[in-house]
Amino acid sequence: MSIVYIVSAPSGSGKSTLVTKLFETVRQLDFSISYTTRRPRGSEQSGKEYFFVSKPEFETMIAAHEFLEHAEVFGNYYGTARRFLRQAESHGNDLLLDIDVQGASQIKGKIPQAVSIFILPPDREKLEWRLRNRGLDSDEVIRRRLDTARREIENYEKYDYILVNNLLQQSADELKDIVLAERLLRSGAKPTPEEARRIKTAQACRLEQARERVQPILASFNPQEVK
Ligand code: ADP
Ligand code: 5GP
């Protein structure tokens, strides 16, 4: 059976950068291209980053039960089509969903064995810097994204793995280790020394091990709580 990986992150944490790197190195992994009613940004093309559809088209798909999950994010609809999971299964591939916290909860409700990964920025200041440096958003949008980030981060306990994206290459390696370690653990095969190392790195990112690392990040988004 295919493994479903869910990746969520506050906007600007580096999720797209890390997911792109993951697909460069991991085979037999499909990306679920979501449907959305938001307008394309920059060079985005329908069928690549997203399928861009109208609100009535999206609502027709909801009525036809074509979505595994769907949610409203920043005033637009976003949804994961069931057919991507069917396709991945028929090809013997795993599937990665890049979805928000609401979508992640819905998927976990339907597919409890899905692997959920939450990517965090090192702190609020670095997140703001990355959003500004990316150069895609106005000051007003950045303020809104930072506010949303604070609320999203509070959901970190719903995820299996926490990945703090500080040094890019290290985070990319950790994401790959999590994905491959889950495959190894589910295969039941005896790990080689290299595979055992991967499993150890992945274990260090599990929620239970990561709580202490998350506290200062949360505090940086709630300055009044810093002691
Ligand atoms: P997201 O998909 O989470 O919104 P992006 O992948 O677009 O975020 O990354 C936001 C910005 O931060 C981009 O300009 C990206 O190049 C940069 N970035 C990503 N990861 C890191 C990192 N570890 N260190 C510094 N900059 C990073
Ligand atoms: P953006 O518009 O910046 O590409 O994405 C905004 C948010 O919507 C991100 O958190 C992204 O993960 C989330 N998102 C993208 N596709 C889906 C989807 O199919 N379902 C849900 N629930 N969220 C999605």
Side-chain angles (χ1 to χ4, degrees):
M1 214 167 79
S2 299
I3 304 177
V4 173
Y5 296 96
I6 303 166
V7 183
S8 305
S11 177
S13 304
K15 182 180 57 180
S16 314
T17 309
L18 290 171
V19 166
T20 303
K21 278 180 163 286
L22 182 73
F23 277 95
E24 285 166 7
T25 56
V26 173
R27 302 287 158 247
Q28 294 202 279
L29 182 63
D30 291 353
F31 181 72
S32 162
I33 305 173
S34 294
Y35 282 75
T36 182
T37 58
R38 85 150 161 77
R39 296 268 171 88
R41 275 196 304 248
S43 61
E44 285 179 336
Q45 287 167 21
S46 200
K48 198 164 166 247
E49 290 85 359
Y50 286 102
F51 290 103
F52 296 99
V53 294
S54 66
K55 214 168 165 198
E57 282 172 315
F58 198 99
E59 283 163 350
T60 303
M61 289 183 73
I62 296 176
H65 303 288
E66 288 189 41
F67 291 120
L68 208 49
E69 65 74 35
H70 62 89
E72 199 179 319
V73 187
F74 297 123
N76 290 300
Y77 282 142
Y78 290 81
T80 304
R82 289 181 193 277
R83 72 184 155 86
F84 276 96
L85 183 55
R86 284 200 297 270
Q87 273 167 20
E89 275 171 347
S90 70
H91 294 144
N93 290 350
D94 296 326
L95 184 68
L96 186 135
L97 316 180
D98 168 344
I99 58 177
D100 84 324
V101 171
Q102 309 167 69
S105 298
Q106 292 181 46
I107 297 288
K108 271 290 201 180
K110 286 184 181 158
I111 311 174
Q113 67 277 23
V115 179
S116 56
I117 305 161
F118 198 50
I119 299 173
L120 286 174
D123 55 41
R124 185 187 190 281
E125 200 185 328
K126 288 208 180 65
L127 179 63
E128 183 168 355
W129 188 87
R130 283 180 195 170
L131 285 168
R132 290 198 187 286
N133 194 46
R134 186 168 68 174
L136 285 178
D137 302 318
S138 66
D139 279 1
E140 166 58 24
V141 171
I142 288 178
R143 224 185 15 253
R144 200 145 37 96
R145 288 199 191 282
L146 287 169
D147 206 43
T148 308
R150 183 177 51 75
R151 277 179 277 124
E152 284 175 337
I153 290 172
E154 285 167 2
N155 289 287
Y156 79 95
E157 285 179 305
K158 295 180 182 155
Y159 288 75
D160 300 314
Y161 291 94
I162 306 292
L163 207 166
V164 181
N165 179 20
N166 193 2
L167 302 174
L168 184 57
Q169 193 51 51
Q170 187 182 327
S171 305
D173 291 342
E174 283 172 355
L175 182 58
K176 182 177 171 182
D177 286 341
I178 293 168
V179 166
L180 296 183
E182 282 286 341
R183 279 186 181 169
L184 284 163
L185 291 170
R186 287 167 196 229
S187 76
K190 187 170 181 289
T192 63
E194 167 62 9
E195 290 168 347
R197 184 206 57 76
R198 273 192 205 294
I199 292 171
K200 205 170 155 209
T201 308
Q203 292 297 333
C205 294
R206 286 203 69 95
L207 172 65
E208 311 83 71
Q209 316 298 324
R211 283 180 199 279
E212 276 183 30
R213 262 174 290 153
V214 178
Q215 289 316 314
I217 300 173
L218 263 177
S220 75
F221 282 84
N222 294 301
Q224 68 280 14
E225 288 177 20
V226 179
K227 304 215 169 71

